[in-house]
């Protein structure tokens, strides 16, 4: 009949109108600044450098693997010089260009020393941009406890390395396949 | 005297009364061209006499960049092709690379890939049907109902892969990470609730007289013309051709699932709408079976870190939500592909836009374009 | 002094005050020909006009707010709730935005006609409220050609839409303007005939007489068969006349960007926006007066009844906007010339016929005749046999 | 209706009429013609004949003005650009117009009898009954004429459409 389909349409919209007042699953809008949806642990913000809570030392050994793995070449880092002139296994400068980074997470997968993880802060909008978009070491470093809080599953995968003992390598969870890319995050 | 109104022109001289064609350029900034896409239409009154699609505004040298990145670094780039179906692009690229190197992903990874592709199909069809009715003029109501469901699926994607649309989830030889705990339960609740939503959606739209008046008989695409133009996907099936790559190739583990392929009768816009609604129901069937049969085990085959496929080329394709999405990779033995070509379904489905639109009105051209379902990221690459 | 004519009492008090207080005060200044009677008449006219010009824009402003809230809820979202409590200050925010936006006139456009179009569209839609009876005796000008006055003025807006479309010298607005004129001209006829049906039964064009003729609850004309069909035709023609969905062709966003008011910005665009809502509200008022018995209704005072009825009709307009896709131009024309017009003519015939039959059989005969024509008329229009196409599933 | 109101309205109407004739932009001349129609409607209101005023607005401004605009659309005249000011045979037109003016002026001033007292203005109902009782024959003749005209228009349109359909691919 000619008008029936239109009436059905109106019935559906009316039902939605009425139900949106008492059925929670109809009204799904989250009032963003006041209410917030909990971010899933695997959410990929920008990467950050992990440092052990107690020793405060960065886990990064400046091996440049993450810089090579990044499709958008947004990571630059230089190795620090020790007191006796020999290269020390610490980054002296580590800059991440936020303008280029597309938050794909390949750097985290490429890092064998589990020194990188994906952050959860996405509210980077500022009215005036004092700090340039290139983050240095001090803006990138986060404690390991922060990682456990935002992404527990990745945290236990990147278990903190015990002191440099011979058995150091074994404490890490046995890799499922030798040399294969360890699924870390 | 005005030179047109020459005194001796006979009263009914047709030349005198025919109007010249009004050339109207629809786009690139236009609310209903689904991205930066331009249609130069020559109008005779309201009817379209000629229509020339103009695109290329979103060209980003995707394939040239692909030649300077390693196979793994290309993976996040494929998200940006058809930015609505992120996972499907990743998986298609992974399949092509595996065919090149002859790698067989483990069982669990195959099941996860099927689940992710079918969820992407739901996301894409929801978005399409919503925006098709929005082009028809239904002021955002169907779009917002469809988006309410789509958000649930995107939340699942975010929990699994970390990104809602740019997922970067597949890897050569499997998938990047295993499912987090509890996600299969979430997917199951989504699948159980989905048919009720689809019934309500069909109740709102399928028998709507105005929608039928507007869609039935507009933009008819004959089966022969579609096959000749290489059109694939729901647009082809709506014209009555029963060709679905999941059935034709039987790639990955699709032969294990029993599902049916909806095929339209006349190939007009209403058929394309109906085929997509039925495809959503079929995807639900596949998802239910895939979830039931999800085995345990590793999610990634052994692939060397410096992935160097042997010399040679390979063409891998999947039945993407928009049609046959194919990747052609030529390897010269190095870690970077020598040639990286994408076969985008949107671009090829766009070739017959003029034949479908000529003779109709502008309002029809807009919904015909909407029913073909193009995404400019994929068309321009 | 029941709640019913509280406003009339206030007005009489004000007019009395004008005579007793104002006249002796201004006597030395006033010229000779202004006698107290003339001053009173002038004062009562001013009060009526000012009350309409205050209440109607206020109702209109919160109509826009209500529309966004209601259509929002229909789409499972909140609607404006940021500006003020529950978004109540949203209309004010919109008004300020409209006022502060830059007012652009297209370079090669026709500056004068571009300026005159919004004026010509707003003035008639406001003048129209003089004829609407807001309550018992609460009518600005009880003309004995009330309905005709309403229809005459609402036909002037068609001209303004054309001027807007042409003066912007932009292909989209020109097409939108032409579509709007064709639509409004062809939908005016069923609108007039639907009003004529009621006028014919009442025997007078005056809106007050029409409301008086709808005594009692079942006295409303909408309970008569011809009244119901006349109302449905009036509703369809009203949505088309106000360019609202599903006939919002002139500003078909998906094709013509914004139709005839593409090139308008700032307060001129605001005027078009106001005019659209004013005319929709006015036509809902008229529909309430013609078919739902104006201020007649049990218990509540009259003027509350008419506002209630109008807001129910306005809610129906919101529902139309939330549900229906847009009709194409030729279907729009086909619908009015092949369906609405013949149906309207048969309704006039049936209304005339049942005038001479006693009430009950008249009602039955009317109902049978009209539903019969409704189905018969639908046959040629069902070019699309109702498609129950489910696509066949193959493996 | 007091004098000075009528004089004001007359001035408005005459000036609008002159503008309608002399304006070079066709659209502007149609708009000033509309001002003439509205002016006459105002005069009717002044003469306490609201029905005629409403009908004047409904018919002239609501329909005939739009008809004129449509006609302008169909004719291939360039609406935007100014058209030539005066056509070749303007003097013929001028003579006829002034002759008509003289006759009318003579007739108007010739009457020395005072204007007949304003008859009681028939209200709308009386107007309706007169139209369909005393003057039913002219009413039917007019409606017959209108239907004939409409059928003629449709015939022309169909014939043209068949032609354009045959010529177009």
């Amino acid at each position: 009949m000619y008008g029936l389909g239109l009436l059905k349409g109106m019935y559906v919209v009316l039902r939605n109108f009425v139900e949106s007042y008492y059925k929670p699953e109809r009204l799904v809008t989250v009032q963003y600044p006041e209410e917030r949806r909990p971010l899933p642990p695997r959410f990929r913000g920008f990467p950050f450098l992990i440092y052990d809570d107690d020793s405060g030392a960065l886990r990064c050994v400046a091996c440049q693997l993450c810089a090579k793995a990044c499709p958008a070449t947004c990571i630059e880092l230089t190795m620090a010089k020790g007191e006796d002139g020999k290269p020390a296994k610490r980054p002296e400068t580590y800059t991440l260009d936020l303008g280029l980074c597309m938050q794909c997470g390949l750097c985290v997968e490429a890092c064998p020393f589990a020194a990188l993880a994906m952050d959860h802060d996405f509210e980077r909008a500022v009215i005036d941009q004092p700090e340039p978009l290139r983050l240095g070491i001090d803006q990138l470093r986060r404690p390991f406890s922060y990682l456990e809080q935002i992404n527990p599953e990745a945290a236990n995968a990147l278990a903190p390395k015990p002191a440099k003992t011979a058995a150091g390598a074994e404490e890490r969870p046995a890799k499922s396949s030798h040399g294969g890319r360890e699924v870390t995050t | 005297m005005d030179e047109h109104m020459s005194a001796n022109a006979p009263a009914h001289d047709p030349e005198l009364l025919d109007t010249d064609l009004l050339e109207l350029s629809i786009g690139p900034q236009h609310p209903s061209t689904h991205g930066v896409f331009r249609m130069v239409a020559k109008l005779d009154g309201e009817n379209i006499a000629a229509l020339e699609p103009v695109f290329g505004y979103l060209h980003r040298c995707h394939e040239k960049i692909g030649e300077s990145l390693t196979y793994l670094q290309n993976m996040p780039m494929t998200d940006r092709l058809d930015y609505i179906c992120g996972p499907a692009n990743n998986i298609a690229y992974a399949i092509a690379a595996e065919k090149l190197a002859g790698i067989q992903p483990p069982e669990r990874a195959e099941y996860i890939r099927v689940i992710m592709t079918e969820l992407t199909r739901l996301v894409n069809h929801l978005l399409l049907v919503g925006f098709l009715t929005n082009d028809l003029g239904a002021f955002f109501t169907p779009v917002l109902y469809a988006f309410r469901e789509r958000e649930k699926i995107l939340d699942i994607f975010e929990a699994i892969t970390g990104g809602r649309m740019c997922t970067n989830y597949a890897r050569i030889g499997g998938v990047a990470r295993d499912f987090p705990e509890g996600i299969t339960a979430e997917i199951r609740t989504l699948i159980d609730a989905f048919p009720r939503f689809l019934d309500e959606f069909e109740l709102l739209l399928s028998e709507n007289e105005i929608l039928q008046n507007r869609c039935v008989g507009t933009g008819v695409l004959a089966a022969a013309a579609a096959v000749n133009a290489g059109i694939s996907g729901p647009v082809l099936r709506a014209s009555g051709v029963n060709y679905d790559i999941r059935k034709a190739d039987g790639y990955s583990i699709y032969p294990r699932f029993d599902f049916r392929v909806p095929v339209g009768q006349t190939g007009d816009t209403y058929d394309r709408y109906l085929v997509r609604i039925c495809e959503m129901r079929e995807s639900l069937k596949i998802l239910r079976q895939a979830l039931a049969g999800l085995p345990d085990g590793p999610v990634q085959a052994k692939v060397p870190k410096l992935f160097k496929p042997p010399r040679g080329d390979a063409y891998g394709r999947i039945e993407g939500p928009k049609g046959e999405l194919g990747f052609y990779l030529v390897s010269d033995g190095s870690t970077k592909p020598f040639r990286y070509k994408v076969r985008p379904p949107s671009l090829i489905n766009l070739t017959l836009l003029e034949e479908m639109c000529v003779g109709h009105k502008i309002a029809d051209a807009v919904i015909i374009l909407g029913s073909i379902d193009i995404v400019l990221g994929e068309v321009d690459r | 002094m029941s709640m019913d004519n509280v406003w009339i009492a206030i007005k009489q008090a004000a007019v009395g005050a004008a005579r007793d207080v104002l006249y002796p005060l201004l006597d030395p200044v006033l010229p000779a020909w202004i006698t107290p009677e003339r001053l009173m008449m002038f004062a009562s006219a001013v009060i009526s006009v000012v009350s309409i010009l205050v209440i109607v824009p206020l109702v209109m402003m919160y109509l826009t707010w209500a529309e966004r809230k209601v259509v929002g809820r229909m789409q499972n979202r909140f609607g404006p709730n940021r500006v003020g409590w529950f978004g109540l200050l949203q209309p004010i925010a919109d008004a300020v935005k409209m006022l502060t936006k830059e007012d652009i006139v297209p370079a090669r456009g026709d500056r004068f006609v571009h300026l005159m179009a919004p004026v010509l569209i707003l003035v008639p839609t406001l003048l129209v409220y003089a004829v609407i009876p807001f309550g018992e005796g609460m009518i600005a000008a009880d003309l004995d050609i009330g309905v005709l006055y309403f229809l005459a003025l609402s036909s002037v807006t068609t001209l303004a839409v054309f001027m807007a479309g042409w003066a912007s010298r932009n292909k989209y607005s020109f097409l939108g303007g032409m579509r709007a004129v064709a639509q409004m001209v062809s939908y005016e006829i069923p609108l007039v005939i639907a009003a004529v049906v009621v006028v014919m039964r009442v025997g007078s064009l005056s809106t007050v007489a029409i409301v008086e003729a709808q005594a009692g609850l079942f006295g409303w004309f909408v309970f008569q068969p011809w009244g119901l069909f006349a109302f449905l035709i009036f509703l369809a023609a009203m949505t088309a006349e106000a360019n609202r969905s599903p006939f919002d062709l002139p500003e078909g966003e998906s094709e013509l960007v914004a139709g005839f008011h593409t090139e308008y910005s700032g307060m001129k665009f605001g005027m078009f926006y106001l005019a659209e809502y004013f005319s929709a509200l006015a036509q809902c008022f008229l529909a309430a007066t013609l078919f739902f018995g104006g201020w007649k209704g049990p218990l509540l005072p009259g003027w509350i009844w008419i506002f209630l009825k109008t807001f129910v009709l306005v809610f129906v307009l919101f529902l139309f906007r939330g549900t229906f896709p847009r009709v194409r131009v030729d279907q729009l024309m086909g619908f009015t010339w092949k369906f609405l017009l013949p149906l309207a003519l048969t309704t006039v015939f049936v209304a005339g016929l049942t005038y001479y039959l006693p009430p009950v059989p008249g009602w039955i005969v009317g109902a049978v005749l009209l539903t019969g024509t409704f189905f018969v008329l639908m046959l040629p229009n069902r070019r699309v046999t109702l498609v129950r196409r489910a696509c066949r599933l193959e493996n | 209706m007091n004098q000075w109101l009528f004089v004001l309205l007359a001035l408005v109407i005459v000036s609008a009429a002159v503008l309608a004739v002399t304006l070079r932009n066709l659209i502007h001349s149609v708009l000033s013609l509309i001002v003439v129609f509205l002016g006459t409607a105002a005069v009717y209101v002044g003469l306490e004949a609201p029905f005629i005023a409403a009908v004047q607005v409904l018919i002239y401004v609501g329909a005939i003005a739009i008809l004129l605009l449509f006609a302008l659309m169909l004719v291939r005249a360039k609406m935007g650009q100014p058209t030539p000011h005066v056509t070749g045979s303007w003097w013929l037109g001028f003579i006829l117009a002034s002759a008509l003016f003289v006759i009318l002026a003579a007739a108007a001033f010739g009457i020395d009898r005072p204007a007949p007292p304003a008859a009681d203005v028939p209200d709308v109902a009386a107007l309706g009954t007169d139209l369909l009782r005393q003057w039913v024959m002219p009413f039917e003749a007019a409606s017959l004429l209108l239907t004939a005209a409409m059928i003629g228009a449709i015939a022309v349109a169909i014939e043209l459409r068949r032609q354009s359909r045959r010529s177009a691919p």
Side-chain angles (χ1 to χ4, degrees), chain B residues 136 141 145 148 214 261 278, chain C residues 74 76 322 326 389 391 394:
Chain B
L136 278 165
T141 313
Y145 293 162
R148 188 188 59 211
R214 288 285 303 273
V261 172
C278 300
Chain C
M74 285 178 191
N76 301 331
R326 186 174 303 119
R389 238 192 257 158
C391 39
E394 289 171 19

Side-chain angles (χ1 to χ4, degrees), chain D residues 85-135:
Chain D
H85 200 60
V86 174
T87 55
S89 58
W90 66 273
W91 48 270
L92 182 63
F94 182 73
I95 289 172
L96 283 180
S98 44
L100 184 64
F101 177 74
V102 163
I103 296 161
L104 280 182
F109 291 114
I111 307 159
D112 47 13
R113 277 180 289 98
D120 55 348
V121 176
D123 69 347
V124 180
L127 209 63
T129 45
D130 289 351
L131 196 59
L132 286 176
R133 282 219 174 73
Q134 279 167 324
W135 310 99

Side-chain angles (χ1 to χ4, degrees), chain D residues 4-73:
Chain D
W4 59 269
L5 179 61
F6 175 73
V7 164
L8 182 71
L9 279 177
L11 265 182
V12 164
I13 294 169
V14 168
S15 55
V18 166
L19 267 179
V21 176
T22 51
L23 273 181
R24 299 170 66 91
N25 182 335
L26 285 180
I27 291 285
H28 288 191
S29 60
V30 170
L31 292 184
S32 46
L33 191 62
I34 290 160
V35 172
V36 170
F37 293 150
L38 288 176
T40 41
V43 168
Y44 290 141
V45 169
L47 294 172
E48 277 107 28
F51 179 77
I52 307 292
V55 164
Q56 161 88 355
V57 169
L58 182 69
I59 304 290
Y60 277 92
V61 176
I64 291 188
I66 292 169
L67 192 70
L68 281 174
L69 288 172
F70 266 108
L72 273 181
M73 294 289 140

Side-chain angles (χ1 to χ4, degrees), chain C residues 20-200:
Chain C
D20 309 338
V21 171
L22 204 60
Y23 186 72
L25 205 66
L26 294 174
D27 198 11
V29 175
L30 288 179
W33 56 272
I34 293 191
T35 62
E37 291 72 28
R38 285 229 175 112
L39 186 72
M40 277 171 59
M41 202 176 64
F42 181 71
S44 84
V46 161
I47 290 169
S48 316
V49 166
V50 160
S51 61
I52 287 186
L53 282 187
V54 162
I55 292 169
V56 169
L58 205 66
V59 164
M60 192 290 290
M61 257 164 62
Y62 280 93
L63 196 64
T64 50
W65 169 80
E67 161 146 43
R68 290 171 63 174
K69 275 293 220 194
V70 160
V71 175
R73 280 289 175 169
M74 285 178 191
Q75 297 168 348
N76 301 331
R77 55 186 172 81
F78 279 104
N81 58 2
R82 291 283 158 183
V83 188
W85 225 44
F86 289 110
L88 280 172
L89 299 182
Q90 184 70 34
I92 296 148
D94 289 349
V96 165
K97 181 194 80 172
M98 292 286 185
L99 286 169
T100 48
K101 276 276 169 50
E102 185 207 357
D103 192 352
I104 305 159
V105 178
R108 285 180 45 241
D110 191 326
R111 180 170 293 278
F112 174 69
V113 175
H114 191 265
L115 171 72
M116 283 314 289
V119 167
L120 198 58
I121 201 166
L122 198 58
V123 165
T125 38
L126 272 178
L127 283 178
V128 146
Y129 281 91
V131 168
I132 292 169
F134 292 103
E136 188 79 46
M138 292 159 66
I139 182 165
D142 180 5
L143 303 173
D144 62 358
I145 53 154
V147 175
L148 186 63
Y149 169 87
F150 186 101
L151 297 173
L153 278 179
S154 68
S155 76
V156 173
T157 46
T158 321
L159 206 57
V161 163
F162 179 86
M163 280 162 61
W166 184 77
S168 317
R169 285 198 75 70
N170 153 353
K171 284 193 183 108
Y172 287 128
S173 48
F174 183 67
L175 277 176
M178 295 302 283
R179 276 188 186 181
V181 166
Q183 169 182 330
M184 288 164 112
V185 164
S186 44
Y187 271 89
E188 222 171 288
I189 297 159
L191 193 79
V192 167
I193 293 177
V196 155
V197 166
V198 171
V199 163
M200 192 171 70

Side-chain angles (χ1 to χ4, degrees), chain B residues 212-269:
Chain B
Q212 282 188 1
N213 262 344
R214 288 285 303 273
C215 290
V216 172
T218 44
V220 177
L221 178 61
V227 168
N228 291 346
I231 293 199
S232 61
V235 181
L236 180 69
R237 288 192 286 278
S239 304
V241 177
N242 174 14
Y243 177 75
D244 184 328
I245 298 171
R246 292 174 292 179
K247 294 275 183 186
D249 274 9
Y251 64 92
S252 111
I253 49 170
Y254 274 103
R256 291 187 200 157
F257 306 113
D258 85 22
F259 64 97
R260 314 226 344 252
V261 172
V263 175
Q265 278 139 13
T266 54
D268 53 12
T269 314

Side-chain angles (χ1 to χ4, degrees), chain B residues 117-131:
Chain B
T117 319
E118 293 313 318
L119 282 176
T120 324
R121 204 182 307 282
L122 290 182
V123 161
N124 179 61
H125 288 344
L126 279 175
L127 191 121
L128 166 89
V129 172
F131 275 104

Side-chain angles (χ1 to χ4, degrees), chain C residues 146-343:
Chain C
V147 175
L148 186 63
Y149 169 87
F150 186 101
L151 297 173
L153 278 179
S154 68
S155 76
V156 173
T157 46
T158 321
L159 206 57
V161 163
F162 179 86
M163 280 162 61
W166 184 77
S168 317
R169 285 198 75 70
N170 153 353
K171 284 193 183 108
Y172 287 128
S173 48
F174 183 67
L175 277 176
M178 295 302 283
R179 276 188 186 181
V181 166
Q183 169 182 330
M184 288 164 112
V185 164
S186 44
Y187 271 89
E188 222 171 288
I189 297 159
L191 193 79
V192 167
I193 293 177
V196 155
V197 166
V198 171
V199 163
M200 192 171 70
R201 280 308 285 257
V202 169
S204 146
L205 275 165
S206 146
T207 42
V208 175
I210 290 172
V211 172
E212 294 300 343
Q214 301 179 41
L217 186 55
F218 289 97
W220 293 352
F221 285 139
V222 87
F223 296 120
Q224 303 288 341
W226 46 268
L228 179 65
F229 276 85
F231 167 65
L232 292 178
I233 296 164
F234 194 89
L235 190 64
M238 177 167 81
T239 27
E241 200 71 21
N243 291 340
R244 283 187 65 86
S245 164
F247 304 104
D248 55 352
L249 234 33
E251 85 268 344
E253 306 81 19
S254 48
E255 310 103 45
L256 299 181
V257 183
F260 57 87
H261 41 70
T262 321
E263 292 299 334
Y264 280 85
S265 58
M267 203 43 210
K268 283 194 207 146
F269 177 75
M271 278 172 149
F272 275 107
Y273 192 64
L274 286 178
E276 189 202 321
Y277 278 101
F278 273 139
S279 73
L281 190 64
Q283 273 157 0
C284 283
F285 268 118
L286 186 68
T289 322
L290 290 180
F291 300 103
F292 287 92
W295 69 79
K296 287 252 179 297
L299 302 176
L300 296 174
W303 47 274
I304 291 183
W305 266 114
I306 189 158
F307 272 96
L308 269 180
K309 291 172 192 167
T310 310
F311 287 153
V312 164
L313 283 174
V314 163
F315 180 79
V316 168
L317 285 186
F318 293 166
L319 190 59
F320 281 174
R321 177 146 186 231
T323 331
F324 292 144
R326 186 174 303 119
V327 182
R328 209 178 44 201
V329 178
D330 50 339
Q331 289 156 357
L332 175 90
M333 289 303 158
F335 180 64
T336 180
W337 292 103
K338 290 189 219 153
F339 184 75
L340 274 189
L341 191 55
L343 189 63

